[in-house]
Amino acid sequence: MKKIAFIGCGNMGGAIVRGVCATVEPKTVYLSNRSRSKAEQLAESCRCNVCEDNCAAAKDADYIFLGVKPWQVPDVIKEISGVLKGNEIIVSMAAGVPGSVMAALLSKTGNGVIRIMPNTPCAIGEGLVIISAYEGVSEESVKELESILSGCGMIGRCSEEQAEAAMTVGGCTPAFTYMFIEALADGGVRAGIKRGDAMLWAAQAVAGAAKLVMESGEHPGALKDAVCSPGGATIEGIRTLEMNAFRGGVMDAVLVAAKRSKELG
């Protein structure tokens, strides 16, 4: 069985750990985190292992996930370089750190590099993980990683050039959606619905709408039109959203987040 190491178990790293442990044998998963107590809590709930430090986690691992901040990547790679043999695949979640930079940091050992752009719903198997493999990584390794991550949800691939945009659309969208659900619920409360009901119903409506887009194959615009009766309540609400630059605001949010992602690297 392959040894899978996670260095960094924050919100995103922890979500991936949960998804991976739902797919592979948890005893093959090893965690290391700056706050050991956080790693211990995660390991207990997922039935995997905690290591004393980053080197212990990385030693003899087949896949090493880096769930650290972009600025921490060089120090972590320097720290574990002494135990790397060169056959490990480094899987980076760091925003804005291109595969070329990762490869340069690993030039002495020559490890393969794969970037992933996950999101937090991976923790419940309903996430999205976009994979971008840097040059020289075999198709076999990419497919094996896809299998390891299959418990996280949908797996996609993109080029290095598309990585920051993919990270934004996949990784940031849950946060944007949570704001939308909260706003819908606030509107429901203003209209007289109890807070708990408004939140639950708004969340289910958003989840159902997203599922219908995926399962029907219909364009979202066509599905929107199907809800809008002439002179009805829905089209009046859409008119108000458009007057407040709803779509333009969402597009701008994606663009500035992608720009910021590059800057973080």
Side-chain angles (χ1 to χ4, degrees), residues 235-256:
I235 193 64
E236 186 65 19
I238 285 175
R239 172 179 171 274
T240 302
L241 288 174
E242 293 290 26
M243 288 175 65
N244 287 276
F246 177 72
R247 285 190 286 190
V250 173
M251 290 172 66
D252 284 348
V254 172
L255 293 173
V256 298

Side-chain angles (χ1 to χ4, degrees), residues 2 13 57 106 154:
K2 302 290 185 180
L106 292 157
M154 179 183 288

Side-chain angles (χ1 to χ4, degrees), residues 64-151:
I64 303 172
F65 287 76
L66 301 184
V68 299
K69 301 297 184 184
W71 58 270
Q72 295 174 312
V73 169
D75 288 339
V76 170
I77 288 178
K78 182 179 180 180
E79 179 185 357
I80 66 174
S81 61
V83 301
L84 297 180
K85 300 175 182 177
N87 59 339
E88 306 92 343
I89 299 293
I90 307 298
V91 184
S92 172
M93 306 179 215
V97 184
S100 57
V101 171
M102 294 290 301
L105 291 169
L106 292 157
S107 59
K108 291 184 179 180
T109 51
N111 296 84
V113 174
I114 300 177
R115 293 183 67 190
I116 63 171
M117 287 64 76
N119 62 22
T120 50
C122 290
I124 60 169
E126 293 291 343
L128 171 67
V129 185
I130 307 294
I131 292 175
S132 176
Y134 190 63
E135 58 190 40
V137 176
S138 69
E139 177 66 15
E140 179 183 1
S141 293
V142 176
K143 285 185 175 180
E144 186 169 54
L145 179 61
E146 288 178 331
S147 177
I148 290 170
L149 293 169
S150 62

